């Protein structure tokens, strides 16, 4: 089964959703091929990273509400065994990071790179707008660092990425994570593992019933 997951690296719910979907696939008897698709929650985010705290406070109505959201997510991520340090996170444009993820897809290490970048953003306070940081992190997940540096030094993959971002909007996707099964069935949000497992089984049943 093919599943496309639309996500943005700065989205903590996507970080959580990746872990829950991985758990769902472990419970599911069939083979699942995951392709990570790009989405930008804030295409206008700065290329030079700034602390996320002030941005989130402006967006969500104050530091107190942000702290409450952090605590809720801290409990949810802990339940999935995920480290989480949102106070250290940066607000930064993820366009280049998505280009790296696309490169990782062509190299067969996409999910590993996505996982490494998620952890860097949400648990380690790393700057995903910095080319050297992206090359270092991607190399830790199995992608050639020189290839990443060459990619980011040029405009390689930028036009393709813009088309994919437009396609996500054309599909009506307005929030992430969004799971698209076989290009036909969608599940929105970081649903519990049981829900995602159920979706896998339901789609498998539909596919098996086809002539």
């Amino acid at each position: 089964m093919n599943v496309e997951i639309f996500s943005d690296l700065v989205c903590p719910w996507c970080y959580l959703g990746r872990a829950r979907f991985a758990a769902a696939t472990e419970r599911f008897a069939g083979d699942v091929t995951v392709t990570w698709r790009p989405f930008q929650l804030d295409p206008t985010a700065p290329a030079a990273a700034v602390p996320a705290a002030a941005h989130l406070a402006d967006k969500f109505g104050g530091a107190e509400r942000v702290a409450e959201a952090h605590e809720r997510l801290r409990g949810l991520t802990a339940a999935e065994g995920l480290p989480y340090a949102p106070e250290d996170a940066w607000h930064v444009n993820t366009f280049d990071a998505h280009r790296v993820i696309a490169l990782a897809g062509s190299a067969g290490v996409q999910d590993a790179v996505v996982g490494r970048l998620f952890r860097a953003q949400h648990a380690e306070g790393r700057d995903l707008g910095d080319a050297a940081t992206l090359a270092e992190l991607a190399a830790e997940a199995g992608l050639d660092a020189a290839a990443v540096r060459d990619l980011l030094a040029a405009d390689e993959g930028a036009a393709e990425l813009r088309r994919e971002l437009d396609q996500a909007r054309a599909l009506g996707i307005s929030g992430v994570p969004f799971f698209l099964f076989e290009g036909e069935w969608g599940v929105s949000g970081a649903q519990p593992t049981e829900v995602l497992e159920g979706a896998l089984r339901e789609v498998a049943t539909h596919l098996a019933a086809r002539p």
Side-chain angles (χ1 to χ4, degrees):
M1 184 187 306
N2 295 307
V3 182
E4 297 166 87
I5 306 178
F6 294 79
S7 73
D8 196 3
L9 291 163
V10 295
C11 167
W13 293 101
C14 297
Y15 179 48
L16 178 65
R18 177 181 179 271
R20 288 178 168 178
F21 188 74
T25 59
E26 288 179 3
R27 299 181 184 182
F28 177 65
D31 293 328
V32 179
T33 298
V34 172
T35 303
W36 289 90
R37 299 297 187 194
F39 190 90
Q40 285 196 289
L41 289 169
D42 183 5
T44 67
V50 297
H55 165 73
L56 292 173
D58 288 342
K59 183 176 181 179
F60 295 112
E64 184 175 342
R65 287 192 177 181
V66 173
E68 291 171 357
H70 285 340
E71 285 309 305
R72 181 187 178 198
L73 274 160
R74 205 184 306 277
L76 294 172
T77 51
E80 302 298 334
L82 296 173
Y84 186 56
E87 295 82 6
D88 298 330
W90 295 93
H91 176 52
V92 67
N93 197 292
T94 54
F95 190 88
D96 282 346
H98 282 301
R99 286 204 288 152
V100 173
I101 291 171
L103 179 66
S106 64
V109 292
Q110 191 178 53
D111 188 67
V113 168
V114 168
R116 184 67 190 94
L117 296 182
F118 267 135
R119 190 169 79 252
Q121 170 68 24
H122 297 287
E124 299 173 359
R126 305 293 295 275
D127 177 4
L128 299 189
D130 178 71
T133 299
L134 287 172
E136 175 192 341
L137 295 169
E140 291 176 11
L143 192 58
D144 182 66
V148 175
R149 289 192 291 268
D150 290 345
L151 173 86
L152 297 177
D155 203 31
E156 183 181 345
E160 292 84 351
L161 176 56
R162 291 188 185 96
R163 282 196 293 271
E164 285 208 41
L165 291 168
D166 288 343
Q167 287 169 2
R169 298 291 185 183
L171 286 170
I173 298 171
S174 59
V176 285
F178 186 88
F179 303 85
L180 183 62
F181 298 79
E182 288 291 329
E184 297 184 46
W185 297 277
V187 173
S188 182
Q191 300 293 337
T193 297
E194 294 76 15
V195 173
L196 294 171
E197 181 189 3
L200 287 166
R201 295 185 184 280
E202 184 175 350
V203 172
T205 299
H206 283 300
L207 294 177
R210 287 181 172 175

